[in-house]
């Protein structure tokens, strides 16, 4: 399924033909029962280019936000300015991407809006960063070639706040997409939610990408606090040396993860967000 709108689902077959489908029975009832990226069995009929979805095939993974199924890779887009980076949200997205076992690429976009000094200052607050980083600008075309390479032949989803340049980056790497983009509001410095619905787009010459609407809040529904540590990949090597089994890395004496934070081997802001998320998850349990 490539796009949902007004009770219909656009479905693309193996030859690239699109059918506007209704869903059958149970599938129709539940809101969000069929997501962009879902593989479905459908029957053409009811006019040219129309059809009926009969069955949803098993999913390899699913993200609630952005709502998408069966992707291999998540491209997290963060703007260095306009809007200001929200690292808490960024780390939330990274945790949930890890939970769904997605490969991750992080695009720091709008590098044309900061000078070299500011860029270095931002890098210092992030390093050591445990995911692949790409510095991009949709405006001046920076980082577009490596981004295109990373998307080739795979199915990816773009995620991040409104206004960071998700649709603009996709237009830069494949102008034929002609996705709508929108000004960031000057007064509040936020995006205007230009992309309204997730859409699966074919890439040249191979691969797919899902452009999605921006969002600014993300909750951890369905995540247990014990799972969190493993979703910070940079903890792994250290956690093995924690003196307590099942160490929460919060209060245990001699915790090797906290030692690594104080030595600067784990990024302090990432650890701070780990602690916040852990508190949020344990408060939910109580
Ligand atoms: N200076 C600068 N502006 C950019 C860059 N990338 C995007 N923009 C601008 O930022 C604004 C928002 O871009 P969009 O591509 O619509 O952002 P989006 O992430 O798709 O936003 P939503 O669809 O609302 O989630 C537009 O005015 C773009 O022209 C960039 O690299 N540099
Ligand atoms: Mg957009
Ligand atoms: Zn520990």
């Amino acid at each position: 399924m490539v796009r949902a709108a007004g009770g219909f689902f656009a479905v693309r077959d193996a030859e690239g033909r699109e059918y506007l489908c209704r869903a059958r029975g149970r599938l129709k009832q539940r809101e969000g029962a069929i997501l962009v990226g879902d593989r479905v069995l459908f029957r053409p009929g009811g006019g040219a280019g129309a059809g009926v979805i009969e069955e949803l095939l098993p999913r390899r993974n699913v993200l609630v936000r952005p709502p998408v199924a069966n992707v291999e890779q998540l491209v997290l887009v963060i703007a260095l300015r306009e809007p200001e980076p929200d690292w808490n949200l960024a780390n939330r997205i990274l945790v949930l991407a890890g939970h769904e076992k997605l490969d991750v690429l992080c695009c720091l976009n709008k590098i044309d809006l900061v000078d070299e000094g500011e860029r270095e200052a931002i890098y210092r607050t992030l390093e050591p960063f445990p995911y692949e980083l790409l510095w991009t600008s949709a405006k001046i075309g920076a980082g577009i070639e490596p981004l295109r390479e990373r998307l080739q032949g795979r199915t990816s989803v773009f995620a991040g706040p409104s206004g960071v340049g998700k649709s603009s980056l996709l237009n830069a790497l494949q102008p034929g997409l002609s996705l709508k983009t929108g000004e960031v509001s000057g007064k509040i410095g936020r995006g205007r939610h230009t992309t309204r619905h997730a859409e699966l787009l074919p890439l040249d010459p191979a691969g797919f990408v899902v452009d999605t609407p921006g969002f600014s809040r993300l909750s951890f529904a369905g995540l247990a606090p014990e799972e969190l540590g493993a979703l910070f990949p940079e903890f792994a090597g250290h956690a093995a040396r924690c003196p307590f089994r099942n160490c929460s890395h919060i209060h245990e004496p001699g915790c090797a993860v906290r030692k690594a934070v104080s030595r600067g081997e784990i990024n302090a802001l990432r650890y701070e967000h780990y602690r916040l998320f852990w508190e949020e998850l344990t408060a939910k349990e109580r």
Side-chain angles (χ1 to χ4, degrees):
M1 203 273 279
V2 299
R3 176 170 19 93
F8 285 91
F9 302 96
V11 173
R12 199 176 295 137
D13 70 9
E15 278 76 50
R17 282 185 299 257
E18 260 189 32
Y19 295 82
L20 213 49
C21 295
R22 291 188 178 284
R24 225 161 96 107
R26 266 184 319 112
L27 286 173
K28 183 165 60 185
Q29 314 301 338
R30 273 189 305 127
E31 163 102 24
I34 308 173
L35 296 175
V36 168
D38 263 329
R39 293 159 51 80
V40 298
L41 295 180
F42 77 102
R43 184 168 43 80
V52 179
I53 296 178
E54 306 270 0
E55 200 181 321
L56 184 64
L57 297 176
R59 288 171 175 160
R60 152 194 177 137
N61 56 33
V62 56
L63 283 177
V64 177
R65 234 177 197 193
V68 62
N70 301 323
V71 291
E72 307 166 69
Q73 171 169 255
L74 181 135
V75 178
L76 169 61
V77 183
I78 298 289
L80 299 184
R81 290 272 179 288
E82 298 175 25
E84 292 294 313
D86 181 344
W87 300 119
N88 180 308
L89 178 71
N91 284 325
R92 274 172 199 272
I93 296 172
L94 293 170
V95 162
L96 289 172
H99 192 244
E100 295 305 319
K101 303 200 164 32
L102 303 182
D103 291 337
V104 167
L105 172 65
C106 185
C107 287
L108 299 179
N109 192 35
K110 308 203 187 187
I111 56 168
D112 56 288
L113 296 181
V114 300
D115 60 31
E116 192 67 29
E118 284 175 284
R119 237 175 97 167
E120 267 163 31
I122 291 162
Y123 187 66
R124 275 195 301 276
T125 67
L126 288 180
E127 64 157 2
F129 190 71
Y131 299 91
E132 196 175 337
L133 265 187
L134 209 52
W135 302 81
T136 61
S137 169
K139 189 169 182 184
I140 60 171
I144 301 303
E145 213 39 60
L147 179 57
R148 183 184 293 125
E149 257 163 50
R150 278 295 298 254
L151 299 178
Q152 269 317 300
R154 328 176 66 189
T155 302
S156 311
V157 58
F158 273 44
S162 179
V164 294
K166 298 179 294 298
S167 304
S168 301
L169 283 170
L170 288 169
N171 282 338
L173 66 92
Q174 191 163 307
L177 292 175
S178 308
L179 300 169
K180 211 171 141 199
T181 65
E183 292 289 304
V184 170
S185 147
K187 228 188 248 156
I188 46 172
R190 287 207 221 111
R192 295 180 190 272
H193 298 282
T194 306
T195 303
R196 290 295 181 170
H197 304 282
E199 179 166 8
L200 183 90
L201 308 154
L203 288 173
D204 278 338
F208 295 93
V209 66
V210 183
D211 189 18
T212 68
F215 55 90
S216 54
R217 296 165 61 88
L218 187 58
S219 77
F220 289 125
L223 198 67
E226 310 81 67
E227 293 179 281
L228 190 61
L231 299 174
F232 281 72
E234 70 270 45
F235 290 7
H238 305 285
R241 288 195 305 277
C242 289
F244 293 89
R245 263 167 59 82
N246 303 324
C247 184
S248 71
H249 317 308
I250 301 286
H251 46 67
E252 291 86 346
C255 168
V257 166
R258 284 191 296 141
K259 278 187 193 161
V261 175
S262 61
R263 284 196 305 265
E265 288 166 19
I266 288 175
N267 179 269
L269 185 62
R270 288 264 303 164
Y271 177 74
E272 181 56 24
H273 288 149
Y274 169 79
R275 215 174 48 74
L276 283 175
F277 300 165
W278 193 85
E279 274 165 16
E280 193 176 312
L281 290 171
T282 49
K284 221 179 253 168
E285 277 202 332
R286 268 184 241 125

